[in-house]
């Protein structure tokens, strides 16, 4: 964190910890360390316009108030709901020109920015579902203060934001769902988990949003299943009661697997249909958190006038694209895709000539389709609360555009699918979030070889129709002839070619046998 700030911010960096009281300078005077006891904030000098990043849950509220009263910025990285509630209440009494920014991290933080981005682009969104997949290596490397709250918060009853104004208490493991972490990846079981981002997201987009749910999946997958089993046996409270002992043991275990964090945020409308989705895959959670902190610090340093709120949220200061740029600078392998045309992907491991990637992709396709068709062939009749049809459509969307097209074809075949499935599949014919016009214009100009204005007298930025593969815009030629321009969504050929290559690899042995 300190290296990032020194390399990217024109400021002096001071680190503070509760050790023996001493002061020493590093990095040619641009960085210094202060050891300070924290029973209160007495004796610690806070300069005006400073930015304080809090990385521990033992910092006294008096210090945060002192920062705000002196005109500084207090960045809170904690994700513990109880701790943040207490800190927010304590900061309400601050009357200085400074500001506290809550939710500066990944969850909450980056996920909040993703959720707000979806609700801004899809105004009919009334529900947000957040999925977080953590490699076990990343989980075991969490700092001790973070790890100490991770277990009890996930294993004790908590409030689920439904209709925002009427949260209801749910038991740990009471609800689950599946996510495709990574576009075209297999569906992974995830368990309902309390993140403080619930209330932050609800307040950021109120009054449109009704429900915010968050889920967590551990990798390897057996750890999620093991946690689900423990919760189903009612052992959550017992584990939570002994969380400190268990967390200490977990932090000492050998970390295995690559440190990786993958996020999915989905928006849904009143009918339960997808309004938009975002997928992000990156590296170690600690590095991602540092990148988000850096983006927030730079935003605070660039803000000249006092912020109108004494207590604010990260969504008041940053947009998703700004945070993403910093994350990609720290972790160049980070990729993100969404249903709005944003596609920043690391293609190095998914080239068409990579046999291993083809085999992996073929395995994902076969496993997903076999599982869904097995559910489809279940002899039990579909009930009103049955989600098999909805899960089938979500699986097709998760597999990507090739299988969305397959779903469109299947929606015209009531002779082979039940009516419930046909009704869900029909949404693929007409429901797809529009791609932003900047992306459409760039795609059109790449295909045309010059600016849109060189070919059309007018080009309406608002689409008249949009589907999973392309969208249509009104335009006029130089002679005032009205035309309709159909523009393919970006990278569609690459994604379809990837799937056809994988399917071709699977069909080739059958052709030899035939």
């Amino acid at each position: 964190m300190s290296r990032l700030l020194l390399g990217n911010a024109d400021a002096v960096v001071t680190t503070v910890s509760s050790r023996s009281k001493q002061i020493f300078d590093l990095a040619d005077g641009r960085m210094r360390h202060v050891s300070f006891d924290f029973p209160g904030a007495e004796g610690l000098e806070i300069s005006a316009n400073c930015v304080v990043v809090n990385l521990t849950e033992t910092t006294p509220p008096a210090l945060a108030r002192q920062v705000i009263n002196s005109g500084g910025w207090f960045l809170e990285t904690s994700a513990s709901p109880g701790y943040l509630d207490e800190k927010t209440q304590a900061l309400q009494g601050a009357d200085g020109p400074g500001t506290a920014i809550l939710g500066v991290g990944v969850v909450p933080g980056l996920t909040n920015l993703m959720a707000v981005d979806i609700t801004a682009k899809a105004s009919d969104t009334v529900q947000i579902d957040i999925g977080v997949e953590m490699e076990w290596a990343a989980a075991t490397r969490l700092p001790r203060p973070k790890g100490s709250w991770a277990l009890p918060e996930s294993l004790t009853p908590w409030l689920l934001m439904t209709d925002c104004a009427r949260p209801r208490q749910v038991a740990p493991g009471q609800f689950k769902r599946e996510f495709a972490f990574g576009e075209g990846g297999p569906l992974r079981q995830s368990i309902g988990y309390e993140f403080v981002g619930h209330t932050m997201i609800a307040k950021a987009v109120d009054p449109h949003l009704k429900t915010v749910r968050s889920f967590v999946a551990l990798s390897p997958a057996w750890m999620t299943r093991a946690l689900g089993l423990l919760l189903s046996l009612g052992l959550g409270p017992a584990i939570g009661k002994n969380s400190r002992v268990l967390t200490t043991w977990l932090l000492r275990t050998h970390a295995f697997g690559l440190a990786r964090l993958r996020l999915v945020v989905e928006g849904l409308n009143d009918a339960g249909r997808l309004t938009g989705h975002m997928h992000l895959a990156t590296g170690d959670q600690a590095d991602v958190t540092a990148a988000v902190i850096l983006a927030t610090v730079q935003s605070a340093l660039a803000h000249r006038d006092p912020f109108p709120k004494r207590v604010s949220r990260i969504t008041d200061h940053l947009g998703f694209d700004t945070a993403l740029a910093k994350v990609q600078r720290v972790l160049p392998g980070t990729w993100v895709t969404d249903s709005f045309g944003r596609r920043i992907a690391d293609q190095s491991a998914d080239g068409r000539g990579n046999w291993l990637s083809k085999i992996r992709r073929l395995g994902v396709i076969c496993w997903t389709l076999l599982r869904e068709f097995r559910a489809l062939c279940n002899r039990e009749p579909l009930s009103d609360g049955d989600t098999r049809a909805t899960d089938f459509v979500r699986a097709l969307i998760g597999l990507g555009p090739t299988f969305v097209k397959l779903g469109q074809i299947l929606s015209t075949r009531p002779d082979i699918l039940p009516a419930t499935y046909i009704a869900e599949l029909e949404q693929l014919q007409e429901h797809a979030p529009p791609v932003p016009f900047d992306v459409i214009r760039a795609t059109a100009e790449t295909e045309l070889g010059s600016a849109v204005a060189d070919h059309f007298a007018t080009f309406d930025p608002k689409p008249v129709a949009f589907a999973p593969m392309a969208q249509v815009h009104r335009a006029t030629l130089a002679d005032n002839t009205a035309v309709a321009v159909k523009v393919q969504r970006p990278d569609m050929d690459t994604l379809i070619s990837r799937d056809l290559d994988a399917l071709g690899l699977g069909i080739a042995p059958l052709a030899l046998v035939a």
Side-chain angles (χ1 to χ4, degrees):
M1 184 71 252
S2 298
R3 288 195 300 269
L4 273 179
L5 292 173
L6 288 170
N8 295 274
D10 185 17
V12 175
V13 177
T14 302
T15 59
V16 183
S17 64
S18 55
R19 295 178 182 174
S20 58
K21 196 169 185 178
Q22 56 179 314
I23 299 177
F24 56 88
D25 293 334
L26 301 169
D28 298 325
R30 284 197 60 210
M31 177 177 174
R32 68 172 188 159
H33 176 76
V34 178
S35 296
F36 196 84
D37 193 7
F38 276 103
E42 301 83 1
L44 187 63
E45 295 182 4
I46 304 294
S47 60
N49 300 319
C50 70
V51 179
V52 176
V53 181
N54 184 38
L55 302 174
T56 175
E57 296 184 354
T58 59
T59 302
L63 175 60
R65 286 197 300 271
Q66 184 177 345
V67 172
I68 294 176
N69 291 336
S70 67
W73 299 79
F74 187 85
L75 277 55
E76 180 56 71
T77 63
S78 172
S80 173
Y83 171 80
L84 274 184
D85 286 343
E86 293 178 4
K87 181 64 69 70
T88 301
Q89 291 296 324
L91 293 179
Q92 296 298 334
D95 56 1
T99 300
I101 306 178
L102 307 182
V104 181
V106 179
V107 189
L110 198 57
T111 51
N112 298 42
L113 298 175
M114 295 167 72
V116 170
D117 193 83
I118 288 177
T119 57
K121 291 183 170 68
S123 59
D124 58 336
T125 300
V126 298
Q127 176 175 326
I128 289 290
D129 276 5
I130 300 170
V132 181
E133 182 195 52
M134 295 177 61
E135 284 278 3
W136 183 240
T140 56
R141 284 205 297 269
L142 286 173
R144 189 172 301 272
K146 295 285 186 182
S148 65
W149 61 258
L151 281 172
E153 292 296 344
S154 64
L155 301 178
T156 55
W158 47 279
L159 294 178
L160 171 66
M161 295 302 296
T162 56
D163 292 334
C164 288
R166 297 189 300 275
R168 62 185 177 89
Q169 191 175 68
V170 296
Q174 182 174 331
F175 63 100
K176 303 173 184 176
R177 64 155 290 182
E178 294 180 325
F179 287 95
F181 292 99
E183 190 174 54
L187 290 174
R188 289 279 316 278
Q189 185 185 78
S190 305
I191 298 173
Y193 188 103
E194 182 185 22
F195 288 121
V196 71
H198 284 149
T199 53
M200 288 187 181
I201 293 171
K203 291 177 181 177
V205 298
D206 183 71
H208 305 293
L209 206 59
K210 295 181 180 179
T211 303
V212 182
R213 305 190 303 173
S214 52
F215 303 79
V216 66
L218 299 177
S219 182
W222 65 264
M223 297 197 67
T224 306
R225 293 192 292 270
L227 178 59
L229 177 61
L230 292 173
L231 295 178
S232 66
L233 294 174
L235 297 178
I239 297 174
K241 185 180 295 184
N242 298 283
S243 61
R244 290 189 178 275
V245 174
L246 292 171
T247 301
T248 301
W249 176 79
L250 289 174
L251 292 172
R252 291 175 179 172
T253 59
H254 176 67
F256 52 89
L258 295 175
R260 181 182 60 178
L261 178 72
R262 297 200 292 183
L263 307 173
V264 178
V265 179
E266 294 181 352
L268 299 100
N269 60 18
D270 273 320
R273 294 183 174 180
L274 208 62
T275 61
H277 63 83
M278 300 180 72
H279 296 257
L280 183 143
T282 184
D284 191 290
Q285 182 182 1
D287 294 331
V288 184
T289 301
V292 176
I293 292 172
L294 172 62
T296 313
V297 168
Q298 290 181 326
S299 173
L301 291 175
H303 203 92
R304 300 294 182 184
D305 300 322
F307 197 72
K309 300 178 181 178
R310 300 287 73 79
V311 180
S312 61
R313 300 175 291 272
I314 189 173
T315 50
D316 295 323
H317 302 270
L318 284 182
F320 173 70
D321 289 319
T322 302
L324 175 63
K326 290 296 182 292
V327 172
Q328 289 183 307
R329 183 171 182 175
V330 175
L331 297 164
T334 298
W335 63 259
V336 60
T337 61
D338 67 15
S339 54
F340 308 106
R342 186 190 281 112
R343 189 172 300 280
I344 306 172
D346 179 9
Q347 301 290 346
S348 59
D350 281 322
R352 293 187 62 184
N354 189 323
W355 282 82
L356 182 60
S357 68
K358 292 180 184 179
I359 295 172
R360 186 186 301 115
R361 178 62 179 166
L362 179 63
V364 169
I365 292 170
C366 292
W367 171 254
T368 303
L369 292 182
L370 284 173
R371 183 184 60 183
E372 295 303 324
F373 278 111
R374 181 182 178 185
L376 174 62
C377 295
N378 191 325
R379 295 183 180 275
E380 295 180 5
L382 291 169
S383 62
D384 292 339
D386 203 316
T387 63
R388 276 179 284 171
T390 303
D391 292 342
F392 180 63
V393 172
R394 281 182 173 171
L396 294 180
I397 293 173
L399 285 174
T402 306
F403 296 90
V404 169
K405 195 66 180 178
L406 173 63
Q408 291 177 335
I409 296 171
L410 289 174
S411 70
T412 65
R413 298 298 305 273
D415 55 319
I416 62 175
L417 287 175
T420 306
Y421 274 75
I422 296 296
E424 288 294 327
L425 287 167
E426 282 177 348
Q427 69 171 292
L428 299 178
Q429 295 281 7
E430 57 187 26
H431 183 78
V435 177
F437 181 65
D438 289 343
V439 177
I440 289 295
R441 180 171 54 195
T443 303
E445 290 178 347
T446 300
E447 294 296 323
L448 294 171
S450 60
V452 168
D454 295 339
H455 300 270
F456 303 97
T458 64
F459 197 104
D460 190 352
K462 185 177 181 180
V464 294
F466 35 90
M469 297 292 180
Q471 64 188 48
V472 179
H473 292 256
R474 289 192 180 96
T476 57
L477 301 177
D479 61 359
N480 289 326
T481 302
V483 296
V485 183
K486 186 176 183 179
V487 183
Q488 182 176 276
R489 287 176 178 257
D491 293 338
M492 198 62 61
D493 53 348
T494 302
L495 295 173
I496 293 176
S497 295
R498 176 196 63 176
D499 290 338
L500 293 180
D501 285 348
L503 292 171
L505 185 65
I507 294 173
L510 299 179
L512 292 175
V513 173

